[in-house]
Amino acid sequence: MKDFRAEVIKNIPPSGIRAFFELVIGMEDVISLGVGEPDFVTPWHICEAAIYSVEKGATSYTSNLGLLELREKIADYLCRKFDVSYEPKKEILITVGASEAIDLAFRAICNPGDEVIIFDPSYVAYVPIVTLAGGKPVVISMVEGDDIIFDVNKVRENITNNTKAIFINYPNNPTGKSFSRDELIQIAEVADEFDLLVVSDEIYGELTYDYNHVSFPSLPGMKERTILISGFSKAFAMTGWRIGYAAAPNYIIEAMMKIHQYSILCAPIASQIAAVEALNRGEKDMRLMRKEYHKRRNVIVDGFNKIGLPCPHPEGAFYAFPSIKRLPFTSEEFCHTLLKEENVAVVPGTAFGKSGEGFIRCAYAASMENIKAALTRIESFLKRRGLNVSG
Amino acid sequence: MKDELHLKREILEILSVDCTKTASEIAVMLNQSEETVSLLIRQMEKDKTILAYRAVVNRQKVESTKTQCIIEVTCSPQRGVGFDAIAQRIYKFPEVRSLFLISGGFDLLLIVEGETMKDICFFVAEKLATLDHVKGTSTHFLLKRYKEDGFILEDGEKEQRLAITP
Ligand SMILES: Cc1ncc(COP(=O)(O)O)c(C=O)c1O
């Protein structure tokens, strides 16, 4: 029999995260800093609102675009928080997680061969999704030594006649880095100059610790060039509910809708109702969680710097991305050996792209106790090999 | 000083969750110097903002025989001192763990602890109910604890997340 799989699928490499996950399952007593989702459970009043709605018979489809009430709440929220206004009836689409919104965005905009600029390292799904949509990922490394640096010239150098979009994610998974307003303005200028679209994944927008998040479409002239992607997974600890959204100019939302209406129909109604509750009364919970992440951020960054694994300063999300370049290991070797010897799981930077080599992603969506215990174990791992820095 | 008050609140928030956190740990969390944090903690100990450091205990685990009850008390306020004088009379009893003035159908709410039920009955009948100005009491014995000081006491829901996710 022949191999029935499509070529494009055969050529997509297996996920580095998945491979590492296979190693960890079955192991006991692992402290995992490998989990890319909140360690908080969804605030109870949000769960309760969904339970109540199911009891009251909310078990049907919703409009393809999603519940109007939810779209209105999102529009209101985006306006209030990030000073950008979207028309809920025309410019917002509720999706099954930000993941679906990303998929729709590129399927809606990519002609075969259209180039999409992606910063490396990047969230694991970006390159595959753009590829599956028929686009061509053009990957730009942000790594300089032990640091993650944005350099607009690298973007300019990689623009061709085929460039269609720049795909940004800030605060960033896996690095925790964000963009300052200045850096965003530089991106906006390039988008303007070369007539490009910007797909902006701001799912960690609420989780910033050092300055206020600036939403890309809020920059002058950018709303018309932006597909804003976000969701409830991170800020409201709602990963399992699978609710995200896209906000964009009407003709793009319509294009995304064409795919969504046939492949998904609509996001689950109970989850949409939970999301309404999150926006109605969940901001206090969100602030408390953010405060907790902020403290943990300070602890983990301080910890890594002290043991001589310098961290690019993570302004947001819940990831630290320390460099292990001074050690005689590749990222993979380091993570495997650390797991075997110390039962600590961290994810090799290479799971997020080539330029992640020499880094490890450590999620601090973990209890303070676990963060400290993990740091202690990593330190003794280094000490045993004489690789600690004496201080 | 608004900043100092803010910082004190942040420190208290951390200590109220976990009083074993050291000044240096708190300093890192809040991005402050250890000296500042130590100083503020000492100040708050001195001025009795911080009253004690203690463990939150799930007594059901150690089969504590101690009995607790909640007592609602109605009493008549006194001219000039309101409920303060009677409250003082009551809170001096060591059996009284907590005492609150509340609004609604009665006036004072007590949490009372004794070695046995008999001790508590004795306290209510002989001490509390006989006080001048106490007009009536209603005693509720505590049968089972579900949540204590923010902690759910049932053996918890276990971690549902996968060990590694993107
Ligand atoms: C940058 C980024 N975008 C999107 C997602 C997916 O989010 P959702 O749960 O809304 O699909 C994640 C999840 O880890 C992420 O880190």
Side-chain angles (χ1 to χ4, degrees):
Chain A
M1 238 191 306
K2 63 185 177 218
D3 182 341
F4 292 106
R5 295 172 304 163
E7 289 309 314
V8 61
I9 298 293
K10 282 196 242 169
N11 292 334
I12 288 179
S15 144
I17 288 260
R18 183 99 183 264
F20 201 65
F21 172 68
E22 300 293 336
L23 277 181
V24 178
I25 50 168
M27 287 185 64
E28 303 254 318
D29 290 329
V30 173
I31 297 181
S32 183
L33 301 185
V35 194
E37 59 180 312
D39 58 318
F40 299 100
V41 294
T42 307
W44 178 247
H45 65 98
I46 296 176
C47 301
E48 203 273 338
I51 294 167
Y52 183 75
S53 78
V54 173
E55 285 172 345
K56 292 287 162 206
T59 57
S60 56
Y61 292 133
T62 70
S63 135
N64 293 132
L65 288 170
L67 293 172
L68 180 59
E69 186 186 2
L70 177 55
R71 284 178 278 141
E72 284 169 349
K73 289 274 149 40
I74 290 170
D76 173 55
Y77 163 86
L78 290 174
C79 185
R80 197 159 34 82
K81 278 274 166 111
F82 303 119
D83 200 21
V84 38
S85 62
Y86 284 100
E87 166 55 55
K89 288 204 171 87
K90 291 187 183 155
E91 298 179 319
I92 294 175
L93 169 64
I94 308 298
T95 56
V96 176
S99 303
E100 193 217 344
I102 297 169
D103 185 42
L104 294 179
F106 290 100
R107 288 212 270 163
I109 65 167
C110 283
N111 291 314
D114 279 352
E115 293 176 7
V116 175
I117 290 177
I118 296 176
F119 296 97
D120 195 21
S122 67
Y123 178 55
V124 292
Y126 286 7
V127 169
I129 284 182
V130 169
T131 309
L132 286 168
K136 185 174 161 222
V138 174
V139 169
I140 298 178
S141 169
M142 291 190 85
V143 171
E144 282 184 23
D146 290 332
D147 214 346
I148 302 289
I149 309 270
F150 171 71
D151 178 358
V152 75
N153 292 323
K154 287 197 196 164
V155 180
R156 287 177 180 277
E157 285 160 16
N158 280 280
I159 288 173
T160 72
N161 288 337
N162 294 326
T163 308
K164 180 143 237 181
I166 305 177
F167 191 5
I168 55 179
N169 164 224
Y170 65 102
N172 185 268
N173 179 4
T175 66
K177 295 295 292 177
S178 197
F179 289 124
S180 65
R181 178 181 280 275
D182 273 356
E183 290 168 332
L184 291 170
I185 286 173
Q186 292 174 28
I187 297 171
E189 282 166 2
V190 172
D192 219 20
E193 185 178 335
F194 295 95
D195 196 12
L196 305 176
L197 186 75
V198 174
V199 179
S200 189
D201 177 351
E202 303 181 23
I203 191 159
Y204 295 101
E206 282 286 3
L207 304 179
T208 55
Y209 312 115
D210 301 321
Y211 46 78
N212 286 339
H213 180 80
V214 178
S215 184
F216 197 80
S218 73
L219 298 176
M222 282 304 114
K223 191 190 152 194
E224 296 312 314
R225 302 196 164 274
T226 306
I227 304 180
L228 170 66
I229 287 171
S230 191
F232 292 80
S233 286
K234 314 294 174 171
F236 295 98
M238 291 178 67
T239 46
W241 298 84
R242 312 305 305 124
I243 296 291
Y245 55 90
N250 175 250
Y251 78 102
I252 293 182
I253 289 294
E254 280 301 321
M256 292 169 70
M257 240 285 279
K258 278 188 185 168
I259 309 167
H260 174 80
Q261 69 187 347
Y262 298 127
S263 58
I264 299 291
L265 222 163
C266 68
I269 185 168
S271 298
Q272 293 192 52
I273 288 169
V276 170
E277 172 71 15
L279 290 180
N280 277 344
R281 276 172 286 271
E283 281 190 43
K284 194 172 105 256
D285 308 278
M286 194 260 299
R287 279 197 299 276
L288 289 175
M289 292 189 269
R290 176 171 58 207
K291 208 164 173 186
E292 191 56 35
Y293 293 134
H294 188 167
K295 289 176 201 152
R296 297 173 185 177
R297 193 276 310 255
N298 292 351
V299 168
I300 201 166
V301 170
D302 179 73
F304 277 120
N305 287 333
K306 274 188 183 139
I307 58 181
L309 303 181
C311 270
H313 183 72
E315 295 104 349
F318 34 61
Y319 307 105
F321 203 59
S323 163
I324 56 154
K325 288 186 175 172
R326 70 175 181 84
L327 308 179
F329 295 104
T330 65
S331 295
E332 290 247 342
E333 287 163 358
F334 179 85
C335 295
H336 285 217
T337 324
L338 183 70
L339 179 64
K340 222 165 45 200
E341 294 183 14
E342 298 287 346
N343 278 17
V344 172
V346 299
V347 181
T350 44
F352 306 91
K354 271 208 197 80
S355 40
E357 183 55 85
F359 293 88
I360 53 175
R361 189 196 72 173
C362 304
Y364 52 86
S367 70
M368 196 69 94
E369 284 63 39
N370 279 350
I371 290 170
K372 290 208 170 134
L375 285 167
T376 310
R377 291 187 191 186
I378 294 172
E379 187 175 18
S380 55
F381 176 89
L382 296 179
K383 270 192 185 144
R384 219 168 29 252
R385 295 178 161 71
L387 292 169
N388 57 314
V389 285
S390 45
Chain B
M1 270 180 55
K2 187 167 158 286
D3 282 353
E4 184 175 300
L5 184 63
H6 176 75
L7 191 52
K8 278 183 176 172
R9 287 201 183 117
E10 298 279 322
I11 294 170
L12 288 174
E13 208 170 276
I14 292 169
L15 286 175
S16 334
V17 175
D18 179 2
C19 68
T20 65
K21 288 268 180 294
T22 64
S24 90
E25 287 172 309
I26 296 171
V28 172
M29 286 187 210
L30 301 179
N31 203 11
Q32 297 288 329
S33 76
E34 185 176 342
E35 292 72 46
T36 311
V37 174
S38 300
L39 183 76
L40 291 180
I41 291 179
R42 275 202 307 277
Q43 256 180 36
M44 289 191 287
E45 287 167 350
K46 226 175 176 172
D47 70 14
K48 297 258 165 35
T49 305
I50 295 175
L51 295 170
Y53 299 95
R54 47 162 78 145
V56 182
V57 176
N58 182 350
R59 291 154 197 258
Q60 281 154 188
K61 290 263 185 201
V62 285
E63 293 176 12
S64 161
T65 52
K66 284 208 173 119
T67 306
Q68 286 202 331
C69 68
I70 291 164
I71 305 177
E72 303 162 4
V73 180
T74 39
C75 38
S76 30
Q78 293 154 266
R79 177 175 294 239
V81 290
F83 290 101
D84 293 352
I86 182 71
Q88 193 179 62
R89 279 295 284 279
I90 295 173
Y91 67 55
K92 295 244 168 134
F93 288 104
E95 293 90 334
V96 177
R97 304 296 299 170
S98 306
L99 171 59
F100 311 99
L101 174 65
I102 58 171
S103 62
F106 49 96
D107 306 303
L108 298 176
L109 182 75
L110 282 62
I111 296 175
V112 171
E113 186 174 87
E115 289 301 326
T116 63
M117 214 173 212
K118 227 165 109 193
D119 288 345
I120 291 181
C121 294
F122 177 80
F123 167 74
V124 175
E126 299 289 322
K127 305 289 180 197
L128 185 61
T130 59
L131 288 173
D132 287 346
H133 307 292
V134 167
K135 292 194 296 194
T137 65
S138 170
T139 303
H140 311 271
F141 282 95
L142 227 137
L143 303 180
K144 181 172 176 183
R145 292 162 186 276
Y146 291 98
K147 193 171 181 182
E148 182 90 52
D149 242 353
F151 292 92
I152 293 169
L153 301 181
E154 312 262 283
D155 270 335
E157 291 145 18
K158 59 176 188 322
E159 168 86 64
Q160 303 270 1
R161 298 182 305 164
L162 301 172
I164 305 280
T165 60

